[in-house]
């Protein structure tokens, strides 16, 4: 958890994708998340967190549905969304978090 906390303290926005291996919508989002990560390389970070393997992080951030996407900046949550979302919306939110 301390490595995770260090990661989200970044000046750059950090998009965290909370997912589970058994979650079909999570699997459907995987190519979108990869495209977003490529699009924001150098400007933001994209991290995937398996809620079954990282229950402490999921519990700490009240993740009760997957996928859940949270954007952190300097350790603070600046945006949160549960459920599927399109690439354009994710990119807009990351851009807004960078401003």
């Amino acid at each position: 958890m301390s490595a995770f906390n260090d990661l989200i303290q970044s000046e750059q926005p950090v998009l965290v994708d909370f997912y589970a291996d058994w979650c079909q919508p999570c699997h459907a989002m995987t190519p979108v998340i990869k495209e977003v990560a490529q699009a924001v390389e150098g400007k933001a970070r994209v991290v995937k967190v398996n809620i079954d393997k990282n229950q402490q992080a999921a519990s700490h951030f009240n993740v009760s549905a997957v996928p859940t996407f949270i954007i952190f900046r300097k350790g603070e949550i600046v945006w949160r969304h549960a459920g599927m979302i399109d690439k354009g919306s994710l990119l807009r939110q990351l851009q807004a978090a960078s401003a």
Side-chain angles (χ1 to χ4, degrees):
M1 188 74 184
S2 67
F4 180 82
N5 285 333
D6 290 345
L7 177 70
I8 64 172
Q9 294 298 325
S10 172
E11 288 282 329
Q12 289 184 331
V14 180
L15 169 64
V16 181
D17 172 10
F18 288 93
Y19 76 100
D21 290 332
W22 46 263
C23 166
Q24 288 306 314
C26 298
H27 287 289
M29 288 300 302
T30 297
V32 173
I33 297 304
K34 285 182 180 178
E35 289 177 21
V36 167
Q38 288 174 342
V40 299
E41 194 171 348
K43 297 179 224 127
R45 295 200 56 189
V46 177
V47 179
K48 292 179 71 69
V49 175
N50 184 322
I51 64 163
D52 293 325
K53 295 179 181 172
N54 298 286
Q55 293 176 355
Q56 185 179 7
S59 174
H60 182 77
F61 295 107
N62 299 314
V63 174
S64 57
V66 285
T68 291
F69 304 98
I70 301 177
I71 297 176
F72 295 90
R73 184 152 185 221
K74 299 178 189 173
E76 299 292 321
I77 295 173
V78 295
W79 178 83
R80 177 184 189 115
H81 176 84
M84 294 180 70
I85 187 169
D86 63 278
K87 176 183 170 183
S89 295
L90 280 173
L91 288 172
R92 279 191 298 280
Q93 293 300 330
L94 279 166
Q95 200 170 32
S98 297

